[in-house]
Amino acid sequence: MAIAKADMPAAALDDTWAGAIRQRRKALLQRLGMAAASALVFSPLLGWTLTVGWVLGYFLIQLLDLWVFGPVNDGRTERLRGLRNIAGGLLLTLNAGFFGSLAVPLWFVGGPMGGICSAMLLSAGAIYSMINAPRSKSVLVLTVTPQFLYLASTPFFMAAFGASPSFITAASIAVAVFITYCLSTWQRMNQARISETAARIEAEEKRATAERIMEGRSAFLAAVGHDLRTPISAILTGSAELERGASDGPARAQARLISDAGFMMKALLDDLLDHAKLDAGHMTVDAIDFNLRDLLNQSARLWRGPARAKGLKLRIEGAARVPTSVRGDPMRLRQVLNNLISNAMKFTAEGAITLRFKAWAEDTGGHALLIEVSDTGPGMTRDQLVRLFTPFDQTADGVSARHGGTGLGLAISRQLAELMGGRLTARSAVGEGASFTLALRLEAAEAMTAAAPALDQESRDAVARALSTPVSRRPSSPASPAPLAQSLTEPTNVRTPDPAPAAAEPTPAPEPAVATEAAEYEDDERPMRVLVVDDHDINRRAIQLILQPLGCDIATAADGMAALKICEASSFDLIFMDVRMPELDGRETTRRLRAGNGPNAQVPIIAVTADTSPEDIAACTDAGMTYFVPKPITPPMLLGAINHVMMMAQSDEATDVEIAAA
């Protein structure tokens, strides 16, 4: 698309003279080579003395060219000034004129045959000058004019050597046509360069605009995701309390329905945010040492209950071939594996789901790993296979209504596999089930790895999503979270199917371990004092709802500044701190608490946030936060965090007593 100069940015059309000079500098070796070749070719005709002298003179002019145009070639200036500018113009003309001067002795020494060689030499020089004067008429005129003048003298030389008038006329017309052709060709090339520059600038502007849009969309999704986790936390907390306090079966079933919907909402939100991160190129993978066998075993154990509830067999083959200690990203690997098993569980009504593991050591170090997840479901057509990894495409009508989801799971899994340097493929046929294969290369661990951390919330959410169809189930007892450094693989909430018949009265869930802790604190003649800091009233109320049955003395603050003021006047046993708050965020509030000498300088602080990237977790740790609870908050997660923090505090006190006794 041609764009007029007036429509182009000034930066693209500022003086093109400097660009032409730099283009000539790039072609310096080409000029020197062409001069040396010409001298070598014509030396038998002109003699070595003349040709060597001519080459040395031409090389000397090139040295002067480099010196005069040095500031432009080095980028120090875009325009020569004063005498240097005049010298530059003269040097451009001298350069071209000296090269074309070889045509004169060719006429005198070689006669008409030398004239033919002269015309060829001058034509080459004119074409060279035209190509190396991009978008600069001044450079073109100064460099091509000497070549054209030499060519224009050809008819006069022909007349001097006795050529007939018809030949002289033909030569004159040929020279005029050649000069016209050169000028028109330069004009077309110039227009093409202008259009190319304009298109490049337009493409760059569109790229910058697209990047701004993507960044804005990512920021929007991050903000929306953060805000949506707040009501989801309230839904999960409220439904758990309703289920705990329900007096009859229908009420408990309704509470479980709300919980299932909340878990599905969270799973869908996580998928959308992951998809947005991958689209924006912001998703990263880690490289840490972990126990691969433990990771695979834990994932398989997590899905055995849902498989039994659906009447399916979960088979594992080749687990003994899998290496123990490897280096990679366990969280992303677990996410892909859970997506594949969840997908197989969703579409398999009867039969079995088989996990096949193959691994072998590579000569270059590390391990090649193949994980195959196959099912005995209905299979897929060729058209469905083609669309399988397309985001938001459910491959068949009614899939979303029957099974839920957004159609993002497999698309995200393939992109995560590629981020880890692997590949995810699928094969299927109608009536023969489907098989998904993850091919991955994992480095050998740099050190012996400890046992893999317990299953993370994302794994449990995948099961919750698979169990969201009407199946009788109850929540299990809460597990304790790991420290901040392990928060991405911390144990949280597990929902498992109820194997008992539907008519049977469900067994009550075991009381959280924190209840025991609360009973021990009753001997202190005061309840446990807790401060909840969050800018959302819903989050504060949700945490209060969970802690009130424990008899805690709860204070709240809507921002960091209010929390600091409360902490100056009162002491607490535990603080829940939202990370993202206006004015003074949770991390800075924690830093100020830790840096002060107040009564709460050493109080355990549990971070509560939706930002769960490793960088965010590291920032929380650096700020002095003790533990991490991801949003949306569930009662088992919160109670498990309190239990773990209090157990750590008791362990530290016991250590201090032992040291004092010693």
Side-chain angles (χ1 to χ4, degrees), residues 18-87:
I21 294 300
R22 294 187 184 110
Q23 175 65 28
R24 293 184 74 258
R25 171 64 182 85
K26 293 177 183 177
L28 174 61
L29 293 179
Q30 186 182 17
R31 287 202 304 275
L32 295 176
M34 189 164 59
S38 299
L40 182 64
V41 169
F42 298 130
S43 59
L45 182 62
L46 301 178
W48 285 103
T49 302
L50 177 60
T51 53
V52 170
W54 180 82
V55 168
L56 292 176
Y58 189 75
F59 279 29
L60 178 61
I61 292 173
Q62 305 314 307
L63 292 176
L64 291 174
D65 186 289
L66 290 175
W67 176 75
V68 170
F69 295 112
V72 177
N73 292 327
D74 295 341
R76 287 175 285 167
T77 183
E78 295 296 308
R79 172 67 69 179
L80 298 179
R81 306 296 179 194
L83 293 176
R84 203 179 192 106
N85 185 38
I86 297 173

Side-chain angles (χ1 to χ4, degrees), residues 102-393:
L102 194 62
V104 177
L106 282 173
W107 271 105
F108 284 115
V109 175
M113 296 298 104
I116 295 175
C117 295
S118 171
M120 295 173 63
L121 178 68
L122 294 172
S123 299
I127 293 173
Y128 174 86
S129 298
M130 177 188 67
I131 293 174
N132 287 282
R135 291 175 51 191
S136 177
K137 290 182 180 179
S138 59
V139 174
L140 176 69
V141 170
L142 291 173
T143 56
V144 82
T145 298
Q147 314 292 344
F148 287 167
L149 291 176
Y150 284 126
L151 276 172
S153 66
T154 299
F156 297 99
F157 279 109
M158 292 175 64
F161 281 91
S164 65
S166 57
F167 276 109
I168 295 173
T169 302
S172 299
I173 295 173
V175 168
V177 169
F178 179 77
I179 292 173
T180 303
Y181 169 79
C182 285
L183 293 176
S184 63
T185 300
W186 180 89
Q187 184 64 29
R188 288 196 299 272
M189 291 173 60
N190 189 45
Q191 291 175 349
R193 288 189 183 100
I194 292 174
S195 299
E196 180 186 359
T197 301
R200 188 167 59 250
I201 292 171
E202 184 180 5
E204 183 66 22
E205 290 175 348
K206 288 182 177 179
R207 183 190 65 80
T209 302
E211 287 182 352
R212 287 195 298 271
I213 292 173
M214 291 298 295
E215 289 175 359
R217 189 177 75 168
S218 298
F220 170 76
L221 286 173
V224 169
H226 183 274
D227 292 340
L228 284 177
R229 290 177 193 273
T230 295
I232 292 175
S233 296
I235 291 171
L236 294 176
T237 301
S239 63
E241 291 301 309
L242 286 174
E243 186 173 355
R244 187 176 65 84
S247 58
D248 53 30
R252 281 191 294 272
Q254 292 171 0
R256 284 198 297 269
L257 178 63
I258 297 173
S259 295
D260 291 338
F263 278 112
M264 284 190 68
M265 287 172 64
K266 180 185 180 300
L268 295 175
L269 177 61
D270 288 341
D271 279 352
L272 288 171
L273 293 178
D274 279 349
H275 178 67
K277 276 187 177 180
L278 287 164
D279 255 6
H282 293 163
M283 184 72 78
T284 58
V285 294
D286 293 329
I288 61 174
D289 294 344
F290 67 98
N291 191 311
L292 178 60
R293 286 193 180 184
D294 282 354
L295 184 149
L296 298 176
N297 287 336
Q298 289 169 0
S299 298
R301 285 200 302 270
L302 180 67
W303 288 98
R304 286 193 185 278
R308 283 196 300 269
K310 203 172 181 180
L312 301 175
K313 293 181 179 179
L314 184 62
R315 297 171 178 166
I316 300 176
E317 299 177 3
R321 304 191 194 100
V322 176
T324 302
S325 299
V326 295
R327 187 171 182 81
D329 192 325
M331 185 184 73
R332 298 304 176 193
L333 176 57
R334 198 194 299 270
Q335 183 177 350
V336 173
L337 184 59
N338 280 325
N339 268 331
L340 297 181
I341 300 176
S342 174
N343 195 67
M345 196 79 65
K346 182 191 300 184
F347 292 100
T348 305
E350 58 183 15
I353 295 171
T354 305
L355 309 183
R356 296 185 182 91
F357 304 118
K358 295 180 182 179
W360 57 90
E362 295 186 329
D363 295 338
T364 56
H367 303 274
L369 176 66
L370 287 179
I371 299 177
E372 182 180 351
V373 179
S374 59
D375 60 58
T376 55
M380 291 175 283
T381 64
R382 183 179 297 274
D383 179 63
Q384 288 174 323
L385 273 175
V386 171
R387 298 157 47 200
L388 189 60
F389 295 100
T390 304
F392 304 106
D393 191 337

